[in-house]
Amino acid sequence: MHVLGLSIGRDGAAAALVREGRPLALNMEERWTRRRADPSLPLRAARACLARVGAGRERPDYIVLAEKPVATFQRLLMNQMAAFPRGVGAFGRSMSRWLGDALWIKGRLADEFDLPGDRVLFADGHRALAAGAWATSPWSEAAILVLDRGAENDGASIFRGRDARIERLASLEGWQSLPTSRMVLADHLGLLMEGSDDDGRVGDLAAYGACHDGALDAALCRDSADGVSLAREAFDAWFDPEAGATARLQRLLGPAPRLPVGAVPSGPVADGAAAVEAFSARALLRLAQETRRRTECSRMCLAGPLATDATLLGHLAESGLFESIHVAPVADGGLAALGAALHGGQASEQGALLPAGGADWSVSLLGETLRGDVTQGPLALAGDEAVVEQLAARLVAGGCMAWLHGHAEPGPQARGRRCLLADPRSAAQRDALQADPVSFPAWRTAPLAFAEQAVPALFDVPPSARPAIANGPVAVRARPGVAQALGAGVHVDGRARVWSVGAGDHPLLHRVLTRVGERTGYAAALQTDLRRPGEPLMASVDDAVRLFEQSRWDGMIIEDRAWMREGRPPATA
Amino acid sequence: MGIANWLTRRRCRRVWNDPERTIATLESYARTEEDAGHDISAAIDRVGDGELIELMRRHAADERRHAELFRQRARSLREKHGIHDLGDITSDDKLLDLSRGRREQGLNAHGFFGNDQVDERGVVAYVAMLEHAEVQAEQLFSIHRELVSDDAETLAVFDEILRDEQYHVSYTRATLERWREEGREFEVRRARSAARSSRWWGAWKRAGAASASGFSRTLLRALYLTVLAPFALLARRRAGTGGWSEPSNGDPEDMRGQA
């Protein structure tokens, strides 16, 4: 039985195909439309998933959407009524869209895939995320905390996963969504990434500022008997998207400051970011405390947009609230689609159960391959070992190298397969990494990809962060001397966003880093996504070659073909 | 046609009289050309004619190069005028953004049907659409070229792009002619006609959708302020005050329900 899970919105729409509880394919819509975080119905991604199954299969047995559309509609209606009369603008816009299109999605999906209506199912968004996080975890029992921007009316949910079941224990209403409030605050500070809801700049910028008096935290986040309560009046944006930061927020953060172009930020923007970070960290810890109390589990899976925030993950790990924290190797959209498909398989008549903890599969291998022909590249490298040698030698020589190898990561962020690598010892290399065409602000620090065996000696990694750090960056403190040696990869607050690259999950990159370590003593590379600002990761050979032509990088390796900058011949091992 | 041309020229003139509009327009053209490159690359996967595949590959590469030319020019103008923030784009200026149809109506970069419909409509229809779109682009860029004659750098950008556009018109036309000579005259004629009408039909549908959307929004707003007003009080009372809630009857899972 094939179950197709679909997720709309979040950090990009996605589709996932599952057969008898086993994931077969996972695709993001943005890879096909080339619109970053494309939130629209992922029909192209769904067809790509079905195509992977093989010829003749044009429709799944079930479709599961990771959202309850009528619940979302009800929530919008209630919010806009509660905001009367200020909600009139938002009401006109959203109801026009919902009544005209979004409410009838069941029929549309049934038509698109030629299925009877009763084969289209709907999973609650938080439950889908929880199922995805649980299925990718290595455990047979754990707490699951979902913090989402909430399509339906949930801002946070606590689940307990046990064997093949997840059970919801408690929820917070949608307006208390920590990711939403953080996004509104980041928007007020002008820190949202172009074309997305990504507020990842807050953590980087916070290190340059100071949180003076905790006024923001005190105003937005109140202690209560059951752990957390966010001040409702400060979150009008939840009820009326036009409201933005309210007058109260403006008093606390000051009028919307402008981020100076190019310069290392200081003053109101950096102080504002520090205040938002302090508030977010404290609220997250309270939510985690409540999760621990309700589930009595010592291990936790975290899902939602904040799960990929390296700085907040670092705070959570340092708190020691949990023995272990797991974050799925798939970002929100893909995780919800995967979870919906797994959950749908469980609920449908022939139901497969969720894969029990420790299932032997890796979603990191499910992305699609590069489109286009790589056999015409100028320099053929004889096998993987030559690729490893070439990359390692170039990086040690101070080169900045693009690398596209194997299937793409099923999410918006590169994890070693569509990436740009540079030597972390040199500030010049960091600047090269951050320059056009990939460009991001000089005050941001790129994540450090480290061979797993090298991490403990160089960074103070809390034991609870070990599962999470293997799936993506976590901000951890550098040990004495490391900041001086790896200046380009350690932030001004002495932390680095470290990703521990395992030999099992990423064998080739692990070998490259190990070779670098043999030469320099640091088995590490600065790593950033191979994309232009506002665009998805590279998806085709043509695009990658063109991006290389516009860059000043020393070279690029696509599978086993190398492109080297003129005048910079291939390095010899 | 004369009036349409006059209106386009008038709009284009405004673009070059205001640096912010100039930058916004160049950047919108960069997006459109970039998207067109992606669209054509994606369409190549569905084409079986080897000769056409090569021509389309070059076409896709040209479109991406154009995107870079527009982007570079916009960047240097930003630096020259010290403009970092373009401010709000007015609805009038949106008319200059060729990429708007793609974002709002899910059309391909040329303002026609979506790429995923190439399978349904066939390669002949796609090439006819390309031919028509390239003719339109050539006309539009020719108008811009005339208006930037005192700006050597922008002129050079349009000169280079126009040379390519002429080539694109030429190869799509030659391909359609080749198919016509191979006995597919009816198919080619119908595809060309569909391409022409698709453009007008698309514009008509967009205008219809915009006016219907405006009308429905006005109605909904009136409804909100009158009929629904009494329910606002109830909604406010019902709105929660925070805190955790536990599932009432266990942890129900009705996946067939949408609520």
Side-chain angles (χ1 to χ4, degrees):
Chain A
M1 185 182 67
H2 290 82
V3 183
L4 181 68
L6 301 177
S7 156
I8 306 173
R10 291 196 167 81
D11 61 347
L17 190 65
V18 166
R19 182 174 57 206
E20 317 302 351
R22 291 286 198 211
L24 298 177
L26 180 57
N27 252 293
M28 303 292 290
E29 185 72 355
E30 65 170 19
R31 301 278 168 87
W32 303 92
T33 61
R34 305 303 299 158
R35 291 158 69 181
R36 173 100 191 263
D38 191 339
S40 49
L41 191 62
L43 296 176
R44 293 173 182 85
R47 295 210 172 92
C49 287
L50 290 167
R52 179 175 277 231
V53 174
R57 178 161 281 279
E58 288 162 356
R59 60 179 194 175
D61 297 296
Y62 284 90
I63 293 176
V64 188
L65 186 70
E67 183 179 342
K68 298 268 192 188
V70 173
T72 307
F73 178 75
Q74 280 172 349
R75 189 262 296 168
L76 281 171
L77 199 59
M78 290 304 288
N79 283 357
Q80 284 153 7
M81 292 315 301
F84 187 88
R86 211 182 47 242
V88 64
F91 180 83
R93 272 193 312 280
S94 66
M95 290 303 123
S96 171
R97 188 176 77 80
W98 274 86
L99 295 172
D101 183 25
L103 262 184
W104 322 114
I105 196 164
K106 181 174 183 173
R108 189 173 168 201
L109 286 173
D111 287 348
E112 284 284 350
F113 294 95
D114 193 21
L115 282 176
D118 63 354
R119 294 285 177 126
V120 179
L121 307 177
F122 300 90
D124 169 85
H126 276 215
R127 193 180 291 279
L129 280 170
W134 175 238
T136 56
S137 82
W139 303 315
S140 56
E141 181 171 8
I144 308 165
L145 174 61
V146 179
L147 302 173
D148 196 16
R149 297 198 178 110
E152 303 98 338
N153 199 18
D154 291 321
S157 297
I158 296 172
F159 293 81
R160 182 169 45 221
R162 189 174 286 157
D163 297 326
R165 300 267 176 212
I166 54 169
E167 177 194 7
R168 189 199 299 258
L169 302 181
S171 297
L172 280 178
E173 279 186 65
W175 63 268
Q176 296 183 92
S177 158
L178 178 57
T180 301
S181 43
R182 185 176 159 92
M183 188 178 75
V184 170
L185 295 167
D187 188 28
H188 176 68
L189 293 169
L191 296 176
L192 287 188
M193 305 284 195
E194 190 184 349
S196 83
D197 294 338
D198 186 351
D199 48 28
R201 293 177 178 196
V202 174
D204 284 331
L205 196 51
Y208 293 96
C211 178
H212 297 296
D213 52 9
L216 181 78
D217 186 36
L220 301 187
C221 200
R222 295 173 186 145
D223 287 315
S224 67
D226 53 3
V228 67
S229 173
L230 303 181
R232 178 184 176 120
E233 58 273 29
F235 293 98
D236 280 354
W238 173 255
F239 301 101
D240 176 8
E242 282 183 344
T246 59
R248 187 170 180 172
L249 285 185
Q250 294 213 5
R251 277 201 302 278
L252 292 166
L253 291 171
R258 309 297 295 175
L259 189 63
V261 177
V264 171
S266 58
V269 184
D271 291 348
V276 173
E277 188 66 15
F279 153 69
S280 308
R282 197 165 152 220
L284 177 63
L285 292 189
R286 289 184 200 190
L287 290 163
Q289 274 167 354
E290 185 63 14
T291 306
R292 176 80 201 238
R293 189 181 75 77
R294 285 182 183 264
T295 60
E296 297 177 343
C297 292
S298 58
R299 292 180 288 218
M300 182 177 77
C301 306
L302 184 63
L306 299 187
T308 50
D309 186 302
T311 318
L312 285 179
L313 266 180
H315 290 308
L316 185 58
E318 280 178 8
S319 74
L321 275 169
F322 288 89
E323 280 174 18
S324 276
I325 300 164
H326 165 77
V327 172
V330 186
D332 273 8
L335 191 66
L338 181 65
L342 291 166
H343 192 55
Q346 186 184 36
S348 59
E349 60 232 7
Q350 298 170 45
L353 294 175
L354 287 175
D360 181 25
W361 53 270
S362 168
V363 289
S364 63
L365 296 172
L366 292 172
E368 73 275 14
T369 52
L370 274 171
R371 292 192 288 277
D373 185 4
V374 283
T375 60
Q376 300 302 313
L379 176 68
L381 301 169
D384 284 352
E385 203 49 44
V387 171
V388 169
E389 285 300 333
Q390 185 69 231
L391 260 173
R394 270 283 153 203
L395 290 173
V396 173
C400 183
M401 296 287 290
W403 191 27
L404 300 92
H405 203 285
H407 288 194
E409 297 81 352
Q413 287 154 337
R415 294 282 179 269
R417 293 195 177 98
R418 305 283 184 272
C419 61
L420 191 57
L421 300 165
D423 186 348
R425 295 171 301 163
S426 152
Q429 291 316 306
R430 180 194 58 201
D431 296 344
L433 195 80
Q434 294 174 340
D436 274 350
V438 168
S439 74
F440 62 95
W443 46 265
R444 295 204 72 186
T445 305
L448 276 171
F450 252 95
E452 58 185 343
Q453 71 275 11
V455 175
L458 301 171
F459 295 94
D460 185 11
V461 181
S464 60
R466 281 174 200 151
I469 208 169
N471 284 339
V474 177
V476 291
R477 289 184 195 285
R479 293 195 189 279
V482 175
Q484 287 73 33
L486 304 177
V490 180
H491 207 36
V492 291
D493 60 357
R495 292 167 185 264
R497 289 195 281 154
V498 175
W499 169 41
S500 171
V501 179
D505 289 338
H506 297 270
L508 222 52
L509 184 58
H510 182 267
R511 273 156 62 198
V512 170
L513 297 173
T514 304
R515 291 289 163 84
V516 169
E518 287 164 4
R519 290 165 162 90
T520 66
Y522 296 98
L526 287 172
Q527 187 229 241
T528 191
D529 302 346
L530 197 58
R531 69 163 108 235
R532 282 197 191 78
E535 288 192 6
L537 291 176
M538 287 288 107
S540 77
V541 175
D542 278 355
D543 281 351
V545 173
R546 199 163 47 87
L547 195 64
F548 175 61
E549 284 168 354
Q550 292 159 15
S551 74
R552 292 176 192 158
W553 309 331
D554 296 80
M556 176 173 68
I557 293 177
I558 301 181
E559 305 299 353
D560 61 350
R561 297 272 157 172
W563 281 254
M564 290 297 158
R565 188 64 73 204
E566 210 169 299
R568 282 173 258 188
T572 49
Chain B
M1 196 62 197
I3 292 176
N5 202 15
W6 177 77
L7 282 172
T8 308
R9 191 174 289 272
R10 191 162 165 265
R11 271 208 312 266
C12 293
R13 191 168 287 122
R14 287 178 53 213
V15 168
W16 304 107
N17 290 336
D18 175 351
E20 286 199 9
R21 282 205 175 98
T22 302
I23 292 164
T25 304
L26 289 170
E27 287 177 350
S28 89
Y29 286 176
R31 282 196 299 274
T32 306
E33 298 285 288
E34 184 91 44
D35 280 349
H38 290 309
D39 284 348
I40 294 168
S41 290
I44 286 171
D45 296 341
R46 296 147 175 131
V47 175
D49 180 331
E51 189 182 336
L52 182 59
I53 287 174
E54 283 311 307
L55 292 164
M56 286 173 70
R57 276 213 177 111
R58 176 177 164 184
H59 190 163
D62 286 346
E63 299 283 12
R64 287 166 180 150
R65 189 162 42 78
H66 298 170
E68 198 48 37
L69 287 169
F70 280 130
R71 199 172 283 129
Q72 276 173 4
R73 187 66 198 125
R75 198 180 299 140
S76 57
L77 286 174
R78 272 181 185 268
E79 281 166 17
K80 180 180 167 188
H81 296 291
I83 295 172
H84 297 293
D85 188 353
L86 288 177
D88 293 332
I89 301 295
T90 64
S91 57
D92 202 21
D93 289 335
K94 278 184 186 168
L95 290 171
L96 303 166
D97 185 351
L98 294 181
S99 58
R100 72 190 186 283
R102 179 173 174 82
R103 283 149 186 247
E104 290 163 14
Q105 280 96 31
L107 301 176
N108 72 7
H110 292 96
F112 288 78
F113 46 81
N115 248 335
D116 49 347
Q117 292 183 39
V118 174
D119 284 336
E120 287 173 27
R121 300 185 184 225
V123 177
V124 178
Y126 188 75
V127 174
M129 180 278 288
L130 278 182
E131 182 202 27
H132 188 65
E134 294 302 319
V135 169
Q136 300 279 320
E138 190 188 348
Q139 286 170 356
L140 178 66
F141 291 157
S142 297
I143 292 172
H144 280 308
R145 189 198 169 280
E146 284 174 30
L147 296 172
V148 297
S149 51
D150 56 342
D151 175 355
E153 288 171 60
T154 311
L155 189 67
V157 168
F158 278 113
D159 275 341
E160 183 171 345
I161 290 172
L162 272 168
R163 266 197 301 278
D164 292 333
E165 299 295 355
Q166 282 157 8
Y167 170 72
H168 299 155
V169 171
S170 157
Y171 96 78
T172 48
R173 190 164 287 165
T175 303
L176 289 169
E177 285 304 309
R178 173 161 65 85
W179 285 333
R180 201 173 60 79
E181 284 164 14
E182 287 170 0
R184 300 168 76 180
E185 185 168 359
F186 175 71
E187 203 181 343
V188 169
R189 201 170 58 229
R190 197 178 55 178
R192 276 179 160 154
S193 163
R196 277 194 298 274
S197 58
S198 157
R199 195 89 178 193
W200 290 111
W201 180 233
W204 170 254
K205 281 202 292 190
R206 277 198 296 278
S211 61
S213 162
F215 182 66
S216 66
R217 279 182 197 180
T218 307
L219 268 182
L220 284 164
R221 282 171 187 169
L223 189 73
Y224 180 85
L225 293 169
T226 54
V227 180
L228 296 181
F231 297 100
L233 205 57
L234 287 174
R236 280 186 193 163
R237 275 194 197 148
R238 214 192 129 187
T241 51
W244 295 94
S245 62
E246 291 165 12
S248 48
N249 48 344
D251 189 17
E253 292 180 68
D254 172 20
M255 294 188 72
R256 296 192 196 279
Q258 298 188 49

